[in-house]
Amino acid sequence: ARPYGLVSRAAASDETSPWTLHLGPVGVFDGVANYKWGYKDLRKDGDQHFSSTGGWLGFGEKYWLTALVPDQRAAVDASFRSNASGGFQADFAGVQAAVAPGHAATAQSHFFAGAKEVRLLDRYTAELGTPLERAIDWGWFRWFMKPIFALLMWIYDHIGNFGVSII
């Protein structure tokens, strides 16, 4: 038996990817976020395969994320793939295990599909033990941007107006 999961897309995003925002295949592998692959890269360079312990992988859009989160203690083989019909797939397979007759094996993985809301992703990061919050590409100044964003949200929570919060 071998745990397996996949998430697929029918086509690449219609949104254009500005230099400040990553759209497409994204994930955290061995604790490091990877934003280097795009839909065009998968079509041009072919499938991308890698091994990791824990982490997550999926597809990010401007406001949305679909992600697979395998067991964080287990080694996985994962990949991003493109297919001839224009679709894309992110998948992982865990370590193969022999299950003797009369015995059982269990594996737990998670699936996230939802908005890339900072507080929600931070909560899942804490609960799942993997930095799902890295689905948001804060760039090199992440150490500076996250606290500023937290301050902006704190002001918004007390005032109720983003315009005033920004000012």
Side-chain angles (χ1 to χ4, degrees):
R2 186 174 195 187
Y4 179 79
L6 73 90
V7 61
S8 64
R9 288 188 54 92
S13 174
D14 291 336
E15 296 180 275
T16 57
S17 180
W19 66 275
T20 59
L21 178 67
H22 176 78
L23 303 175
V26 62
V28 169
F29 315 107
D30 289 324
V32 178
N34 189 320
Y35 308 106
K36 71 180 181 179
W37 298 309
Y39 296 117
K40 289 179 186 176
D41 299 318
L42 290 179
R43 282 200 183 112
K44 182 179 133 201
D45 301 332
D47 300 348
Q48 299 295 320
H49 301 276
F50 47 91
S51 296
S52 177
T53 298
W56 61 270
L57 72 157
F59 296 103
E61 299 301 321
K62 188 173 186 178
Y63 301 112
W64 306 101
L65 172 68
T66 54
L68 299 168
V69 183
D71 184 339
Q72 296 303 292
R73 299 172 312 252
V76 294
D77 294 320
S79 62
F80 290 114
R81 308 170 193 267
S82 65
N83 61 41
S85 66
F88 298 90
Q89 176 176 311
D91 58 60
F92 77 88
V95 176
Q96 194 170 17
V99 182
H103 290 83
T106 61
Q108 184 176 17
S109 58
H110 299 272
F111 172 72
F112 177 89
K116 293 191 324 188
E117 293 180 7
V118 175
R119 291 177 180 163
L120 178 65
L121 293 175
D122 283 343
R123 191 178 93 221
Y124 277 102
T125 292
E127 290 177 9
L128 298 177
T130 188
L132 200 60
E133 55 90 14
R134 297 302 295 268
I136 299 172
D137 183 5
W138 296 93
W140 291 3
F141 296 105
R142 179 178 175 269
W143 60 272
F144 182 69
M145 296 301 297
K146 279 203 73 170
I148 287 179
F149 184 79
L151 175 63
L152 176 70
M153 290 303 295
W154 182 83
I155 294 170
Y156 171 77
D157 287 343
H158 289 83
I159 295 174
N161 184 306
F162 268 118
V164 174
S165 300
I166 292 169
I167 293 169

